Structures are given as structure tokens and as C-alpha cells.
Amino acid sequence: MDPVVILTLVAAIVVVFLVASSVRIVPQARRYNVERFGRYRRTLQPGLNLVVPVADRINTKLDVREQVYSSDPRPVITEDNLVVNIDTVLYYQITDPRAAAYEVADYLQAIDQLTVTTLRNVIGSMDLEETLTSREEINSRLRAVLDDATGKWGIRVNRVEIKAIDPPHTIKEAMEKQMRAERDKRAAILHAEGERQAKILTAEGTKQKDILEAQGTQQAMILRADGEAKAVELVFQAVHRNNADPKVLAYKYLETLPHLASSDNNTFWVIPGELTEAVRTVTSAFGDQSTAAPPQPARPEEAAATSDADDPSRGSRVPQLGAGSAVSLDAAAAADEAEKQAAAAVSDAKAEAAAAMSPQVPRRGQSSDD
């Protein structure tokens, strides 16, 4: 083969190699650190970049997007000497590729160790209860410390979150018992409040019921009293309009007395003092009719009844009582005695009326001409 052709091919291969070595394409969100003869030269930005072949070489390739790093659970002692395992989640972003590559050997390990030591300092000043309820405070303090320490490494810590806090098994059981007791307490309180509200509502309902029943009874009594008053007024007007005879009124008075005594609810019954006056009025009324008729001899029993009616102090059937005096007997005996007295008075009055209206009977030995 011709030496010229060989040299030409070798030169072409060298040129292609040099061109290929001098061209670097950097993807988006990536940064390449370039060293020239072992010294940092520059950082390649995304896109097409040219470097000096053989002299320049790419040392580190970094991702400048926000990244997530989750650490393993680490034991931490609280202020009340309880060991809890805490694992964290770290959100960070590389802001300076040169510092991230040359200021720290392994920035992930450095961040992890710094997180553990800071977490132990923070949790060591809190008890377990405060640790479980102060996650926001712990996150804020961790982020402040990490952001301050990693700033010179070209890393910005955006967020630190506590993923889990795992207390010992005995503490878990105690916490579960406490939580169960709190729930039982709230349940008992809610049950008591429900019963209280139910009793209050029941009492209010009973109160409203009693009030409505009392108002109904009151209205019924008022209406009944109004009706009775109107009835009495109508009777009174009818009596005065018809000019009723006092004799008829006395007779009606005597007819009403047995009905007063026949009630089962009477435990104390008062005989009015006008009873004798009413009997006397009826007797005198029928006696006036007997004087208008021709005289006739009276029978022995009729004479006795008449004398008893005229003289109330002699007879035992109609006792003379003062106005407002009461018979202090047993309730049933008083009612029966009053009914018997009223019935006897009425029967005596009717006998007198019948005797007065019957024809005269001649005595023995006396002729009809006499």
C-alpha cells in the first residue's frame, strides 16, 4: 500500500478522535465539572460544549434537581431517658456543583451524620410526649441547622421531615392503655350528656303536658261553670217571668233533698236549717186548702202526722235544726238518715194534701143530714 494513503488515513482517524474528544453534550439539569491537567477548570452547562482534548477531562457529573434522601432509623434518647427510633426524610438541591464536588468528599454521608447529631441534640431537650407532639418544631430546628451547615458545600436543604417516631414496645402498650382510657372517658361523658339531655327533654315534655292538661281542665271548668251559670240564670228568669208560687218551690226543694243524700262521694253532709221551714210551708199550703173545704174528722194517724208536722219539737221524723248545723254521723248513716227524713216529710205532705182533697166521711152515730 502506498505510504501516503496510510498517512492520510492515520491523520483522518486522529482528526476524528480529536473532534470527538473536544465535543461534550450536557443534558438538561446536569452539571459537569471539567479539570485541566488535574485542576478544576470550569463547569459545563446543559447543551453543546467544547473542551481541549487530552488536556481537559470531566471529573464529576452532578444532578442539580431537588432530590430526596431517606435515612435509616436512628436511636435517640429523650429527656425522660426513653430510647426512640427516628427516621427522617431530607429534601435537598445542589446549587454550586464546584463546592459540592470539591468542598466535601461525600455530601450525602455528611448530611446524614449532621442530621443525626442535630436530631439527638433537639430530642434530648424534650420528653416523649413533647417529642410526639412537636414535629413541626423539630423539623424547623433541623432545617435551620442543616441549611446553615450545608451552605458552604453548595447544597440547599429545602425541607426536613420526620417520617416516623418509634417508641419502645412497653411505651406503646402504655400509650394504648392511656388512649383507650381517654376514649372510654369521652364515651362515658357523651353517654352521660345524652342521658342528661334526654331527662331534660322528658321533664320539659312532662311539664308542657301538665300545663296543657291544667289549661284544658281550667277551660273546661270555666265553660262548665258558664253553662251552669247561664242555666241557673235561665231558670231564675223563667221562675220570675212565670211568677211561681212559693208553695211549688218548697215542694221542689223537698224533692231535691233525697238526691243530695244519694251521692256516693258524700263523706260530710249538712242538713240546711230551712228544711223545717220548707215542710211547714208545704203543710200550711195544703192546710189552707183544707180550711176552704167542709170540716171533717181526721183519722188518728193523720191527726198524729198533722200534729207532728205542726209541732216539729214533738215528732222524731223531722228534727228541728238550727241554720248551718251539721249531723256529725258516719257518712253513709248521715246520708241514709237525711234521705229518710226528707222522704218522710214529703210523704207526710202528700198525705195531708190527699186528706184535704178527699170527701168528708161521717162519724158513727151521726146521720148524713147532719
Side-chain angles (χ1 to χ4, degrees):
M1 180 178 291
D2 190 1
V4 177
V5 175
I6 295 174
L7 292 176
T8 304
L9 290 176
V10 171
I13 292 173
V14 170
V15 171
V16 171
F17 174 76
L18 292 175
V19 171
S21 300
S22 63
V23 175
R24 291 291 184 269
I25 298 176
V26 180
Q28 184 66 32
R30 299 289 193 278
R31 301 290 187 274
Y32 292 171
N33 291 325
V34 177
E35 294 179 350
R36 179 173 294 177
F37 299 110
R39 185 177 180 181
Y40 171 78
R41 176 67 179 173
R42 62 192 178 98
T43 300
L44 301 182
Q45 300 297 323
L48 181 62
N49 296 273
L50 297 177
V51 296
V52 177
V54 179
D56 294 341
R57 71 180 184 89
I58 297 175
N59 182 21
T60 54
K61 298 179 179 180
L62 300 176
D63 190 348
V64 295
R65 293 175 296 179
E66 186 175 8
Q67 302 181 47
V68 181
Y69 175 74
S70 178
S71 63
D72 296 331
R74 301 297 178 89
V76 180
I77 301 176
T78 61
E79 186 180 11
D80 48 357
N81 297 324
L82 293 176
V83 179
V84 293
N85 293 323
I86 300 178
D87 54 341
T88 58
V89 178
L90 181 68
Y91 296 85
Y92 69 95
Q93 185 177 10
I94 297 176
T95 58
D96 188 357
R98 186 193 66 80
Y102 297 102
E103 295 295 335
V104 61
D106 189 353
Y107 59 87
L108 287 180
Q109 184 180 3
I111 292 175
D112 184 34
Q113 295 299 322
L114 182 61
T115 302
V116 171
T117 55
T118 306
L119 187 63
R120 287 175 178 174
N121 292 332
V122 174
I123 299 300
S125 61
M126 299 180 180
D127 56 6
L128 180 61
E129 191 70 23
E130 189 177 1
T131 302
L132 295 175
T133 57
S134 303
R135 292 196 177 193
E136 290 296 332
E137 181 182 356
I138 297 173
N139 295 336
S140 300
R141 295 175 65 177
L142 279 176
R143 182 181 178 279
V145 173
L146 291 175
D147 195 22
D148 183 46
T150 58
K152 62 181 180 179
W153 298 339
I155 297 173
R156 182 176 69 246
V157 177
N158 297 326
R159 193 177 184 87
V160 180
E161 293 289 341
I162 295 178
K163 186 167 62 175
I165 299 177
D166 189 12
H169 183 68
T170 55
I171 302 299
K172 286 183 179 180
E173 292 181 353
M175 292 172 62
E176 290 178 357
K177 291 180 181 179
Q178 181 181 1
M179 187 181 302
R180 191 180 301 112
E182 289 292 336
R183 290 178 179 177
D184 293 341
K185 175 184 175 181
R186 289 197 296 267
I189 292 174
L190 292 177
H191 183 68
E193 288 290 337
E195 289 185 351
R196 176 174 172 269
Q197 292 295 332
K199 290 180 180 179
I200 291 174
L201 294 177
T202 302
E204 290 180 354
T206 304
K207 176 184 176 181
Q208 293 295 331
K209 175 184 175 183
D210 294 340
I211 291 174
L212 293 177
E213 288 181 353
Q215 291 178 353
T217 304
Q218 179 186 9
Q219 294 295 330
M221 294 177 66
I222 291 173
L223 294 176
R224 192 180 298 111
D226 290 339
E228 292 179 356
K230 290 180 180 179
V232 171
E233 183 179 358
L234 292 175
V235 172
F236 184 77
Q237 292 177 0
V239 169
H240 282 273
R241 185 171 55 250
N242 296 325
N243 194 15
D245 193 354
K247 302 171 184 179
V248 177
L249 296 177
Y251 179 72
K252 290 295 183 180
Y253 180 74
L254 292 175
E255 283 185 340
T256 308
L257 290 178
H259 296 288
L260 295 176
S262 62
S263 177
D264 295 334
N265 296 327
N266 286 338
T267 58
F268 184 75
W269 193 70
V270 179
I271 300 176
E274 290 82 0
L275 177 61
T276 306
E277 185 66 25
V279 175
R280 186 180 295 109
T281 302
V282 174
T283 305
S284 62
F286 292 108
D288 293 340
Q289 295 178 2
S290 62
T291 56
Q296 63 178 1
R299 298 177 183 176
E301 59 275 15
E302 293 175 355
T306 303
S307 61
D308 292 339
D310 292 336
D311 191 4
S313 62
R314 293 177 58 187
S316 60
R317 294 182 179 179
V318 184
Q320 185 176 1
L321 300 174
S325 62
V327 180
S328 58
L329 299 176
D330 186 71
D336 294 337
E337 185 66 23
E339 183 178 1
K340 290 178 182 180
Q341 292 177 4
V346 173
S347 62
D348 290 342
K350 289 182 178 181
E352 287 290 332
M357 297 180 65
S358 63
Q360 295 181 356
V361 179
R363 296 180 181 178
R364 292 183 181 180
Q366 185 179 0
S367 62
S368 58
D369 297 337
D370 296 338

